[in-house]
């Protein structure tokens, strides 16, 4: 394990998030952003697309663009995820998340915790967003509340408003990636710039987590799995199907 990955693990353990800079070439990231924006307007993809004219989530990106695999199986992000979730952690979903100019700030939240009777004291998700365009304070770079993953709350306190100094914007160049503990309070901040910000969200879960609770998540199509290189297949065990009813656990 190289020293900057070790530093990222230490940062995530302490503060609830980390930033790995320049993990894919900038021009590759920007080309991915352009392709993803085209998918957001493709009629065939609308069944997987949620949101409005300002902020959207396009689910099922593992099936829709093979280039996503490069990010999902990147050795540095996988090393961080496996440190916290174990060697058998799974890549469960990849989503394209563009934010258009004028988008208001997203509500502060934690990830995948609503079904817990008591929030566990071990990580249940390590989430990530690849910066496919630059993330700046003006275009709404993801905001986190450092060390909030230690609170073990299902929802953040209501008195942390969008302008709170507790929320730290995580900025970086296209090609970098943010990773965070699912219990870290975070948000997509308001985009007050004239630029579209595009991120690729990839979620890593331990094998014991019931992914049914995330309603938009899509399984891997069998034909997608067949095309994947071995290192990507290893991250997607038992997630095959053409729709959620084919694959996902129930309550």
């Amino acid at each position: 394990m190289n020293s900057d990955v070790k530093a990222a693990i230490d940062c995530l353990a302490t503060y609830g998030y980390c930033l790995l800079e320049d993990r894919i070439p900038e021009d590759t990231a920007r080309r991915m952003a352009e392709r993803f924006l085209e998918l957001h307007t493709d009629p065939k993809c609308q069944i997987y697309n949620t949101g409005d004219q300002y902020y959207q989530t396009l689910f099922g990106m593992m099936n829709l663009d093979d280039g996503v695999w490069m990010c999902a199986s990147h050795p540095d992000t996988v090393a961080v995820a496996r440190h916290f979730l174990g060697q058998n952690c799974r890549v469960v979903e990849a989503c394209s998340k563009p934010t258009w100019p004028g988008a208001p700030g997203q509500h502060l939240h934690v990830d995948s915790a609503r079904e817990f009777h008591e929030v566990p004291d071990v990580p249940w998700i390590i989430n990530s967003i690849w910066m496919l365009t630059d993330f700046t304070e003006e275009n709404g770079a993801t905001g986190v509340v450092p060390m909030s993953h230690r609170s073990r709350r299902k929802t953040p306190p209501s008195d942390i408003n969008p302008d709170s100094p507790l929320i730290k914007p995580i900025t970086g160049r296209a090609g970098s990636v943010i990773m965070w503990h699912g219990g870290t309070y975070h948000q997509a901040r308001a985009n007050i710039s004239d630029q579209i910000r595009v991120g690729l969200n990839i979620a890593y879960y331990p094998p014991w987590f019931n992914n049914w609770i995330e309603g938009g998540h899509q399984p891997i199509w069998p034909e997608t799995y067949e095309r994947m290189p071995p290192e990507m297949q290893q991250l997607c065990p038992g997630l095959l199907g053409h729709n959620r009813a084919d694959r996902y656990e129930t309550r």
Side-chain angles (χ1 to χ4, degrees), residues 162-233:
D163 299 322
S164 172
L166 295 175
I167 302 175
K168 176 181 178 178
I170 309 302
T171 61
R173 293 181 295 272
S176 302
V177 58
I178 314 164
M179 302 188 75
W180 67 93
H181 183 300
T184 301
Y185 309 160
H186 62 282
Q187 64 173 173
R189 297 169 55 258
N191 185 349
I192 61 173
S193 76
D194 60 357
Q195 303 294 316
I196 303 174
R197 176 171 54 84
V198 184
L200 171 63
N201 173 213
I202 298 174
Y204 299 87
Y205 288 90
W208 53 263
F209 189 87
N210 185 341
N211 304 115
W212 171 87
I213 72 169
E214 292 299 340
H217 286 183
Q218 299 298 313
I220 306 296
W221 299 339
E223 58 268 34
T224 300
Y225 185 84
E226 288 301 318
R227 296 197 311 273
M228 288 177 168
E231 61 271 18
M232 192 67 245
Q233 290 180 339

Side-chain angles (χ1 to χ4, degrees), residues 72-201:
S73 63
H74 193 284
D76 293 345
T77 56
V78 170
V80 173
R82 284 178 171 161
H83 175 85
F84 292 98
L85 303 176
Q87 289 299 305
N88 294 323
C89 70
R90 307 183 290 184
V91 171
V92 172
E93 178 58 289
C95 312
S96 171
K97 289 183 174 284
T99 306
W100 278 265
Q106 187 187 46
H107 69 283
L108 201 65
H109 63 284
V110 302
D111 291 325
S112 301
R114 65 181 181 276
E115 293 293 321
F116 289 131
H117 175 69
E118 182 177 352
V119 176
D121 60 358
V122 296
W124 60 93
I125 174 178
I126 297 296
N127 222 333
S128 68
I129 287 188
W130 286 85
M131 301 176 180
L132 302 185
T133 58
D134 295 341
F135 276 35
T136 68
E137 292 196 40
E138 291 74 22
N139 71 19
T142 302
V144 303
V145 178
M147 302 184 74
S148 54
H149 64 304
R150 299 174 182 270
S151 72
R152 296 180 63 186
R153 292 178 60 111
K154 293 184 184 182
T155 57
S158 59
D159 59 350
I160 304 180
N161 61 54
D163 299 322
S164 172
L166 295 175
I167 302 175
K168 176 181 178 178
I170 309 302
T171 61
R173 293 181 295 272
S176 302
V177 58
I178 314 164
M179 302 188 75
W180 67 93
H181 183 300
T184 301
Y185 309 160
H186 62 282
Q187 64 173 173
R189 297 169 55 258
N191 185 349
I192 61 173
S193 76
D194 60 357
Q195 303 294 316
I196 303 174
R197 176 171 54 84
V198 184
L200 171 63
N201 173 213

Side-chain angles (χ1 to χ4, degrees), residues 22-36 70-71 131-134 173-176:
D22 304 323
R23 265 15 193 209
I24 61 174
E26 179 180 353
D27 60 343
T28 299
R30 295 191 187 280
R31 285 196 300 270
M32 291 175 71
E34 292 176 3
R35 290 200 303 270
F36 291 6
M70 168 186 59
C71 295
M131 301 176 180
L132 302 185
T133 58
D134 295 341
R173 293 181 295 272
S176 302

